[in-house]
Amino acid sequence: MSSTTPFTVIIPARLASTRLPNKPLADIGGKPMIVRTAERAAQSGAAQVIVATDHAEILAVCAQHGIAARLTRSDHPSGTDRIAEVAAALGLAADAVVVNVQGDEPMIDPALIAATAAHITSQVPMATAAHAIHSAADAFNPNVVKVVLNQAGRALYFSRATIPWHRDGFAQSQQQLPADYLPLRHIGLYAYSNGFLQTYPTLAVSPLEQIEALEQLRVLWHGYPIAVHIAPAAPAPGVDTPEDLERVRSFFNT
């Protein structure tokens, strides 16, 4: 499927955040974070960008800045379920492409959104992204999610463990990566066909998903393929902590 295929970006946004209260409304250079993220996503060439939220305050802020938004139920277990509700309400066709962009990504690369969306086909209902890991610290960090691919560029497995395990190289040293070894870090950006997006909430939670605490393993467990776009470099990080917020603010204030 070519990169010219139309796609819709839906951005899930909850007001609650344990590490950064009211995160979507945090001011970044005079605009709330959710607005910055939506404006960035609009640069991807998306046919439409819509914020999916369970809070009236986020809805109001989006309206003030001309950002399309929809109010959703408040009991969704995940952002994927939230965007599925909005995609259904929009009446999108089953083969329409929907991209889930997290609301705390005000510096996301618009080209990465479009490139990931382009991987959706009639045979591959879900896509995500990854980039090469160059440091041993990241390779062995359980907070850095790794993915291994098959020859067609589809995900075989996602894990917090160091995969694939370089048997010979790591037997010699785990302080640096072997020269012939570039593991892949998963990037939390997802594209779906709308038909699959509506199916996803009906899939039973998988044991692997519970063990690794990785939602995307549910998809592999039930036998659906996930295409993986390889980005040429690591994307700008999202905002999870007050320190992250200050870093992003400094970027927009320069």
Side-chain angles (χ1 to χ4, degrees), residues 18-254:
T18 53
R19 287 186 286 183
L20 197 58
N22 298 331
K23 181 164 68 168
L25 303 179
D27 181 84
I28 298 177
K31 293 181 180 179
M33 184 188 309
I34 188 63
V35 172
R36 289 287 187 192
T37 302
E39 290 177 343
R40 194 81 168 167
Q43 297 173 27
S44 67
Q48 54 186 337
V49 176
I50 301 165
V51 171
T53 182
D54 62 352
H55 203 282
E57 193 171 354
I58 295 176
L59 199 69
V61 161
C62 288
Q64 290 166 12
H65 290 85
I67 303 296
R70 294 267 185 140
L71 199 62
T72 69
R73 300 192 338 244
S74 60
D75 60 347
H76 286 301
S78 74
T80 312
D81 297 87
R82 193 175 307 282
I83 72 166
E85 179 188 340
V86 170
L90 291 171
L92 298 176
D95 62 351
V97 179
V98 178
V99 183
N100 179 352
V101 173
Q102 298 303 309
D104 57 3
E105 297 278 356
M107 296 174 65
I108 191 168
D109 181 3
L112 181 62
I113 298 173
T116 303
H119 284 273
I120 300 300
T121 69
S122 57
Q123 288 78 40
V124 183
M126 182 171 169
T128 189
H131 69 85
I133 293 173
H134 297 280
S135 78
D138 284 346
F140 289 98
N141 183 349
N143 294 317
V144 174
V145 177
K146 275 69 69 174
V147 59
V148 291
L149 313 182
N150 66 10
Q151 63 178 353
R154 299 178 186 177
L156 287 170
Y157 191 65
F158 297 86
S159 182
R160 298 182 182 279
T162 309
I163 57 171
W165 183 263
H166 200 298
R167 188 196 65 171
D168 295 340
F170 292 155
Q172 297 177 24
S173 171
Q174 294 183 21
Q175 304 307 309
Q176 60 185 25
L177 299 182
D180 62 343
Y181 177 72
L182 283 178
L184 294 173
R185 171 184 168 248
H186 176 234
I187 300 170
L189 174 72
Y190 298 100
Y192 315 84
S193 69
N194 184 43
F196 178 70
L197 181 59
Q198 300 308 317
T199 297
Y200 175 85
T202 71
L203 299 176
V205 174
S206 76
L208 292 176
E209 168 190 5
Q210 293 178 308
I211 291 169
E212 296 256 22
L214 296 175
E215 184 182 310
Q216 63 271 31
L217 288 174
R218 185 184 316 179
V219 178
L220 297 182
W221 174 265
H222 288 280
Y224 295 93
I226 302 176
V228 181
H229 172 73
I230 304 300
V239 177
D240 288 320
T241 66
E243 293 75 21
D244 293 338
L245 180 58
E246 289 309 312
R247 173 183 43 77
V248 171
R249 280 174 170 162
S250 66
F251 172 83
F252 278 93
N253 289 331
T254 54

